[in-house]
Amino acid sequence: MARTDPRAQSPYLPELAAERPDIALCRASALVARAAEAAAAHTELGVGQHLVLKMLAAVGPSSQQALSAELRIDRSVMVGIADDLEKSGYVRRERDPADRRAYAVTLTDPGRRALAAAEREIPGFLDETFAALTPAERTTLTGLLTKILFPA
């Protein structure tokens, strides 16, 4: 049977990753993104949909532009996410009273329930995805990634 684990095929990528943290981070990000999409397949929400509902639950109604900027989701992709969430009844879009040209995206009760169900899956997904790391290493990784994403 052929091996599918790219780490088992050649010593080059581990050497490259040790030399180039940018490459290592890109490859790790792709690996985690694939795992997140696979885990999301067991819920009603895709990863982007989950992130939008999570932000709406945390900060309240927001414009698609604000959601796109904060979550770093391309604006054209955000339109599709918002459309899908609205069709599912998880959000509603209403005119923003502060800016009548814009729409506020608001979380609905069914959206809260879908988010709660998806959130119950996250600890298991994280444990499986980051199984190679100790809890202390996961904390360190989170701190380092935060420093890269949000420099002081």
Side-chain angles (χ1 to χ4, degrees):
M1 176 178 254
R3 289 193 247 185
T4 58
D5 183 351
R7 296 170 294 184
Q9 295 175 356
S10 166
Y12 179 71
L13 187 57
E15 290 171 12
L16 180 62
E19 176 186 322
R20 297 275 309 270
D22 58 325
I23 300 298
L25 186 57
C26 287
R27 296 305 177 260
S29 177
L31 184 110
V32 172
R34 283 192 302 274
E37 287 296 340
H42 301 292
T43 71
E44 296 178 38
L45 302 173
V47 173
Q49 294 173 331
H50 184 167
L51 294 176
V52 168
L53 294 185
K54 189 170 180 71
M55 181 172 161
L56 293 173
V59 304
S62 301
S63 70
Q64 285 180 202
Q65 184 176 2
L67 290 163
S68 177
E70 186 67 25
L71 296 172
R72 291 163 176 84
I73 296 174
D74 184 86
R75 292 164 89 171
S76 63
V77 174
M78 181 57 70
V79 170
I81 290 172
D83 286 347
D84 291 344
L85 288 171
E86 188 174 41
K87 285 177 191 167
S88 297
Y90 297 153
V91 302
R92 66 178 178 276
R93 288 187 266 197
E94 304 167 320
R95 289 277 183 198
D96 185 341
D99 180 358
R100 299 293 296 162
R101 296 168 297 168
Y103 285 89
V105 180
T106 303
L107 184 61
T108 63
D109 287 338
R112 287 183 198 288
R113 289 190 292 276
L115 176 61
E119 287 286 302
R120 287 190 291 273
E121 301 296 320
I122 296 299
F125 157 72
L126 292 174
D127 288 344
E128 184 177 322
T129 303
F130 294 99
L133 303 178
T134 67
E137 288 170 331
R138 278 175 58 176
T139 299
T140 299
L141 176 62
T142 300
L144 293 172
L145 292 172
T146 300
K147 283 180 79 170
I148 291 170
L149 290 169
F150 310 104

